[in-house]
Amino acid sequence: MAHPAQLGFQDAASPVMEELLCFHDHALMIVFLISTLVLYIIIAMVSTKLTNKFILDSQEIEIVWTVLPAIILILIALPSLRILYLMDEINDPHVTIKAVGHQWYWSYEYTDYENLEFDSYMVPTQDLTPGGFRLLETDHRMVVPKESPIRILVSAEDVLHSWAVPSLGIKMDAVPGRLNQTAFIVSRPGVFYGQCSEICGANHSFMPIVVEAVPLEFFENWSSAMLEDA
Amino acid sequence: MTEEDGKTQGMKVLGILDIHNTPCAREAILHGAAGSVAAGLLHFLATSRVKRSFDVGVAGFMITTLGSWFYCRYNNAKLRFQQRIIQEGLKNKVFYEGTDLDPTLKKTGDK
């Protein structure tokens, strides 16, 4: 999960996020090489008064500084497009969950189960149990089976929200009157935290998202218990 | 790579590239440095032009770094792909073991 002064990504918990991390490293290496080149050119320019002093027209340099950025852009764009299409794929989901954003909480509907729906409110700081994370824990977690394709339908009741879980590589806008869909596979059991990522009003910071990935057997136990409670 | 709890904070080259926690980054930069020195030195020995040799050195650094980076990352990606196939195979082996769909039976011609 996130920690103070974090600059990079969180650990990946889904195949898509692994790909995103790889792409991030790839882009960073290109940025590093560009920075090195620019730094070298700056040093070269300021350390001598004689470099290219009388150049008025140079076709060679024009070609270099046109072709080189084009190659760099292609090197970034191709892997980026690959991941973009990878993220769009929704193959035979085992579970479909509808996440609806409200001011200011999330509600979840497991459409494959009858009446399995609940609201997920943030746990206030004074009610946190020891070890609980401030502004991140919810009273009801969204429980999903691990290593199963999950489809998530995202919408909103009132204003724009955004359902985002960085470890799973998901950020999907929740728009009133519109149903957006995305899919993910959680590759390991665990609890993954996210927050609303679209300014939605006064308590925008206080509607966290908690996804708990468990083995299928435990998921069935949880869903049965939830249905009994309903 | 990530920087979650328990991991070293890592050294960031130019403040952006975390070479401790990014696979292949350290090797790529070391290869790049060696390539840079080799290219610059060879050019200087051949031409005795100082400024141009520095330019060639920087070009050598960029080309060698990029080459080493792509080579290493490509090999890692291949390994990761094989790992996924093996994981899938292991899972299927448990499912299909002893049934008609068991791939090992087909290969040996037992059925």
Side-chain angles (χ1 to χ4, degrees), chain A residues 172-197:
Chain A
M172 181 59 70
D173 277 5
V175 184
R178 183 184 165 132
L179 210 55
N180 286 330
Q181 73 165 345
T182 185
F184 63 87
I185 298 171
V186 189
S187 40
R188 58 189 162 91
V191 181
F192 308 103
Y193 294 91
Q195 287 175 306
C196 179
S197 299

Side-chain angles (χ1 to χ4, degrees), chain A residues 35-86:
Chain A
S35 307
T36 309
L37 181 66
V38 171
L39 205 67
Y40 176 73
I41 292 171
I42 290 173
I43 291 169
M45 294 295 278
V46 297
S47 61
T48 174
K49 290 172 186 166
L50 302 172
T51 309
N52 305 328
K53 200 176 171 185
F54 301 106
I55 281 187
L56 289 174
D57 179 33
S58 172
Q59 297 303 322
E60 291 82 9
I61 197 79
E62 291 276 358
I63 289 167
V64 168
W65 72 39
T66 307
V67 172
L68 203 62
I71 293 170
I72 291 168
L73 286 179
I74 289 168
L75 281 178
I76 295 173
L78 289 182
S80 167
L81 281 174
R82 183 179 147 266
I83 298 175
L84 198 67
Y85 288 116
L86 207 68

